[in-house]
Amino acid sequence: KAGVTQTPRYLIKTRGQQVTLSCSPISGHRSVSWYQQTPGQGLQFLFEYFSETQRNKGNFPGRFSGRQFSNSRSEMNVSTLELGDSALYLCASSFVPGQGAVQETQYFGPGTRLLVL
Amino acid sequence: DAKTTQPNSMESNEEEPVHLPCNHSTISGTDYIHWYRQLPSQGPEYVIHGLTSNVNNRMASLAIAEDRKSSTLILHRATLRDAAVYYCILRDVRDDKIIFGKGTRLHILP
């Protein structure tokens, strides 16, 4: 079974631009979570989507948004990029037996490394 | 905020057992103890999890204190490929997100 894939793997943007990152979960997984990893703050939870609905959200400004499509693929968008948005963005997918059920182990992708200049 | 405390770094010799400690004194009855690790230049990967009883799988063992306020991840025979950052995480059965702490950076000496 193919793992979680993220595209692109590397990205360079300038301040003020916006960026869209993509995540394809493991086949059959309907939950997708996004995390930001920086040397200073470590791994921080951004948000989680299940069945095209945002189910959980971390403490990030509204510039960070996401969505999930009917095939469970997910995208996250960061608008008006700031230097501090430079980070590794990780996507994780998991199987959820049903609505309201607790998800199982999360499987992470390799991440997209974003550099904002 | 992370609810676990781990040493910043540890060293171990190759082919010897490694015991990675984790303190979680504020654990609640609905918290599972999860361990993930992150190898260099990769995303985190699941290692093991448990609730009350000790757990074993092909990667590691998890020893949970009787009062559940601490746990230990045991790598029975460390290899160079086990060098990674190990995260001990409490995950509420009612919650979906994972709150990562700083983790323990494990160095394996050949």
Side-chain angles (χ1 to χ4, degrees):
Chain A
K1 192 184 273 191
V4 177
T5 58
Q6 293 186 245
T7 56
R9 291 294 310 278
Y10 304 92
L11 203 51
I12 300 176
K13 292 285 189 179
T14 56
R15 279 184 302 173
Q17 286 187 309
Q18 74 163 18
V19 67
T20 299
L21 311 181
S22 180
C23 172
S24 292
I26 292 172
S27 177
H29 286 190
R30 293 190 292 163
S31 171
V32 174
S33 297
W34 288 89
Y35 296 82
Q36 181 196 65
Q37 185 171 32
T38 60
Q41 299 298 318
L43 271 157
Q44 293 184 284
F45 173 78
L46 279 157
F47 28 65
E48 188 239 351
Y49 287 87
F50 173 72
S51 290
E52 302 177 65
T53 301
Q54 188 179 87
R55 196 159 71 159
N56 221 328
K57 189 177 189 303
N59 297 322
F60 278 81
R63 300 186 297 107
F64 292 81
S65 63
R67 60 178 177 169
Q68 186 179 33
F69 302 95
S70 58
N71 62 358
S72 295
R73 191 177 69 84
S74 177
E75 289 181 347
M76 68 161 281
N77 183 277
V78 188
S79 62
T80 321
L81 283 166
E82 299 176 0
L83 297 179
D85 297 333
S86 296
L88 179 67
Y89 290 89
L90 291 156
C91 164
S93 78
S94 63
F95 175 74
V96 182
Q99 184 69 37
V102 177
Q103 63 178 265
E104 298 176 359
T105 300
Q106 291 196 357
Y107 295 86
F108 285 79
T112 293
R113 188 165 295 281
L114 172 66
L115 176 61
V116 182
L117 301 176
Chain B
D1 291 332
K3 297 180 287 185
T4 62
T5 305
Q6 299 177 253
N8 290 333
S9 67
M10 290 183 63
E11 270 187 5
S12 181
N13 294 319
E14 195 178 10
E15 299 186 5
E16 289 187 357
V18 181
H19 289 67
L20 295 163
C22 180
N23 287 319
H24 28 80
S25 58
T26 60
I27 191 169
S28 72
T30 52
D31 283 334
Y32 279 78
I33 302 159
H34 287 246
W35 284 81
Y36 280 75
R37 72 178 184 180
Q38 188 171 19
L39 302 169
S41 303
Q42 295 188 27
E45 66 173 346
Y46 167 82
V47 177
I48 200 167
H49 78 281
L51 183 62
T52 56
S53 304
N54 295 344
V55 184
N56 300 295
N57 66 20
R58 64 174 180 81
M59 287 181 71
S61 295
L62 176 60
I64 302 173
E66 196 168 335
D67 63 4
R68 301 213 317 133
K69 293 183 185 297
S70 66
S71 61
T72 302
L73 178 71
I74 303 164
L75 306 179
H76 294 286
R77 196 162 167 268
T79 69
L80 295 177
R81 294 192 304 172
D82 291 321
V85 178
Y86 287 78
Y87 297 97
C88 170
I89 297 151
L90 297 185
R91 193 170 174 200
D92 192 309
V93 68
R94 302 163 298 181
D95 202 352
D96 303 321
K97 62 179 181 284
I98 295 179
I99 305 297
F100 285 88
K102 299 297 185 185
T104 296
R105 184 171 296 278
L106 177 64
H107 302 273
I108 304 296
L109 306 175

